[in-house]
Amino acid sequence: MISAHLTVFSFVSIAVVLAMYGFLIAEKINRIIVVGIAAFILVIAQVFKSAGISSQTGAFSFVANNLDVLGFIIGMMVLVGIVKESGVFEAIAIWLVKKVKGRPRLLLFVMGYLALFMTAFLSNIPTVLILTPLILVLIKELKLPALPFFLMVITMANIGGAMTPISDPTTYYQAKTMGLSFGQVVENSGIIVLALSVVAQVYMQLIFSKQLKAVTVDPETIAQFNPAAAIKDKKILKIGVPMLALAVILMLTKSTIASRTGITLDNASISLAMAVLGLLIFNRDPKEVVQKVIDWEILFFFMGLFIVIGSLEQTEVVKALAAFLVHLSHGSDTILQLLITMGSGILSMFIDNVPYNITMVGAIQAMKHAGIYVFPLLWALNLGTSFGGAGSPIGAACNVVTLGLAEKEKIHIKFFKYLSYGAPLVIINGLVTFTILWLRYGLGHHA
């Protein structure tokens, strides 16, 4: 049994978190301000105060416990930002366009998988920042329908976030908190991502079939696309790209390195070391990089979020949530798995999947301590928040970034039109994910 002792502070935390979610969904106030005010209220309300520890110190301990998450994000932002200057990502995309001769259906296919595999190793926000300007050019030059390509890239960037521990901050947080290796994430969540990518491709090729068939591609326009012209800095191409590859390889093999040499590495140390080395080799001004490349909004959002969600852990609300889910399932592992898979997908369409994921990781930890077999629940959560994030324009940060860039180019995609295509795919992906997880773990197989 999971037992939780709720106090007045528990209900204060719940009220603040619900209010925070409400303001995040409304998007009327910048999310940093929303999360910052929520964290401030909780600190002032003495929610984190305990024996010999002030409320402020207790709150900041939740940030301190997750400094490696912040370090990893900063390092990857700087490293990818530098490598992006080479133009290699744009060159690859243009090369693919020429290979498929600009045919809309094939182009939708390759852009989707390019987004998926870039996300697996670069994270989804850097991926959409790289691909969206290219897609905007293709839409204008080839007279392509905007919604299919934006929905495809957003969907693949979101589900790709569940593929590896370095493809999305939530996946990294979950792997770090629950002690999951790189290989475990790829073997479980990553394999299912590939299945979901096929589902997404089939779905979009069918529903957008008429729009794509109506496009007539001019071969002369395609012939003018030159991949080599996209390369802007050959030094970064020759040195920076291998550095990025080395960082990924080290993250992949850090467990093996530790077992064979005794040297322990973590993702934050690897990404920060490579980022600093990149600043040195390419003679970049740290002040300029800090201002232009690092997305401070995301970092401050995470710091505030760690405090706010930490209040739910501090006041045992997370334990109570875990107990409630177990109660709803009536002790059935299958029902519990279905609740987390479908619930995570549907909720993540409308609330930021980062706070939801962090909250639910705590709930699953509580279930684990109570002796419940939670291994499949981790993948249900990770995949649910990932495919769910693609269901609406506000489901994830990369959606907001992509559609925001489109707005600047006078391409407006209406909220409910996007939702009418995105929401059914979330339901389909939820059922597919649940079925795969049930077949693998629901028959008594405890891997």
Side-chain angles (χ1 to χ4, degrees):
M1 288 292 293
I2 302 172
S3 59
H5 176 63
L6 298 183
T7 65
V8 172
F9 291 122
S10 303
F11 293 103
V12 170
S13 297
I14 292 170
V16 171
V17 170
L18 289 177
M20 180 190 76
Y21 274 135
F23 281 107
L24 288 176
I25 294 169
E27 293 189 302
K28 298 295 185 183
I29 304 173
N30 184 284
R31 62 180 183 170
I32 294 180
I33 297 174
V34 172
V35 173
I37 291 174
F40 175 75
I41 290 171
L42 290 166
V43 171
I44 295 300
Q46 305 298 294
V47 167
F48 298 94
K49 186 177 181 180
S50 58
I53 299 176
S54 70
S55 183
Q56 176 180 294
T57 301
F60 285 172
S61 69
F62 286 96
V63 177
N65 291 339
N66 292 286
L67 284 177
D68 54 338
V69 177
L70 301 175
F72 164 70
I73 296 171
I74 292 171
M76 287 303 289
M77 282 179 178
V78 174
L79 186 57
V80 172
I82 291 173
V83 174
K84 181 184 175 183
E85 294 177 17
S86 69
V88 63
F89 302 119
E90 290 87 345
I92 292 170
I94 293 170
W95 178 79
L96 287 172
V97 170
K98 289 181 73 70
K99 280 295 179 182
V100 302
K101 298 179 181 178
R103 286 172 287 187
R105 295 177 73 100
L106 278 176
L107 190 55
L108 187 67
F109 177 86
V110 298
M111 292 305 292
Y113 276 108
L114 182 60
L116 182 77
F117 289 108
M118 283 177 65
T119 296
F121 300 107
L122 301 181
S123 188
N124 45 31
I125 291 178
T127 294
V128 298
L129 283 172
I130 291 166
L131 291 183
T132 301
L134 176 67
I135 292 171
L136 287 167
V137 171
L138 295 177
I139 287 171
K140 291 184 177 181
E141 293 291 332
L142 304 180
K143 305 296 187 290
L144 299 171
L147 181 57
F149 285 88
F150 284 124
L151 182 61
M152 177 65 84
V153 168
I154 288 172
T155 298
M156 291 300 208
N158 273 281
I159 65 174
M163 204 166 185
T164 74
I166 62 173
S167 52
D168 188 84
T170 56
T171 308
Y172 176 58
Y173 175 83
Q174 183 171 317
K176 179 204 69 126
T177 304
M178 301 302 296
L180 303 169
S181 69
F182 199 107
Q184 283 179 307
V185 175
V186 174
E187 182 186 352
N188 292 275
S189 189
I191 296 299
I192 298 176
V193 165
L194 294 178
L196 297 183
S197 72
V198 174
V199 172
Q201 286 282 0
V202 172
Y203 175 82
M204 291 190 210
Q205 293 287 349
L206 288 174
I207 63 170
F208 293 122
S209 177
K210 289 184 179 179
Q211 293 183 45
L212 296 171
K213 283 181 180 178
V215 178
T216 302
V217 178
D218 181 6
E220 292 184 6
T221 302
I222 300 301
Q224 292 174 2
F225 283 82
N226 182 10
I231 301 298
K232 305 178 186 71
D233 192 314
K234 291 186 177 180
K235 181 180 178 181
I236 296 179
L237 178 67
K238 293 177 181 178
I239 302 174
V241 173
M243 284 177 62
L244 179 59
L246 177 60
V248 172
I249 291 169
L250 287 173
M251 292 176 194
L252 281 165
T253 59
K254 64 181 181 181
S255 298
T256 304
I257 292 171
S259 63
R260 294 185 178 181
T261 67
I263 299 172
T264 57
L265 299 172
D266 58 62
N267 291 353
S269 299
I270 293 167
S271 63
L272 285 170
M274 287 297 181
V276 173
L277 191 59
L279 293 175
L280 175 65
I281 292 174
F282 302 113
N283 194 29
R284 292 295 184 269
D285 180 0
K287 183 178 179 180
E288 183 178 342
V289 170
V290 164
Q291 291 176 339
K292 293 184 178 180
V293 176
I294 298 177
D295 191 332
W296 290 104
E297 181 176 342
I298 290 176
L299 295 173
F300 279 107
F301 179 66
F302 265 102
M303 286 189 279
L305 204 55
F306 289 141
I307 293 173
V308 176
I309 303 304
S311 73
L312 299 180
E313 181 181 333
Q314 177 84 9
T315 60
E316 298 196 2
V317 173
V318 168
K319 281 187 180 180
L321 174 61
F324 176 69
L325 288 172
V326 172
H327 174 74
L328 276 182
S329 68
H330 300 290
S332 168
D333 291 344
T334 300
I335 295 176
L336 186 58
Q337 187 176 298
L338 179 64
L339 284 171
I340 291 178
T341 306
M342 299 303 297
S344 297
I346 293 169
L347 287 173
S348 291
M349 286 195 292
F350 303 105
I351 63 175
D352 195 296
N353 56 11
V354 175
Y356 173 80
N357 188 284
I358 293 175
T359 303
M360 286 305 299
V361 167
I364 290 175
Q365 274 186 307
M367 294 178 195
K368 182 180 180 181
H369 294 322
I372 296 172
Y373 179 60
V374 300
F375 201 66
L377 302 183
L378 294 171
W379 315 123
L381 172 64
N382 190 31
L383 290 156
T385 53
S386 295
F387 67 69
S392 82
I394 63 170
C398 63
N399 309 19
V400 177
V401 170
T402 301
L403 299 178
L405 290 172
E407 285 279 358
K408 290 180 180 179
E409 296 298 322
K410 311 299 182 186
I411 296 176
H412 176 68
I413 295 175
K414 293 182 179 179
F415 185 98
F416 286 104
K417 184 175 183 180
Y418 181 105
L419 189 67
S420 68
Y421 288 105
L425 182 57
V426 169
I427 302 300
I428 294 167
N429 276 336
L431 294 173
V432 170
T433 298
F434 168 73
T435 302
I436 295 173
L437 289 173
W438 183 82
L439 289 173
R440 182 165 186 179
Y441 298 107
L443 303 176
H445 175 60
H446 287 196

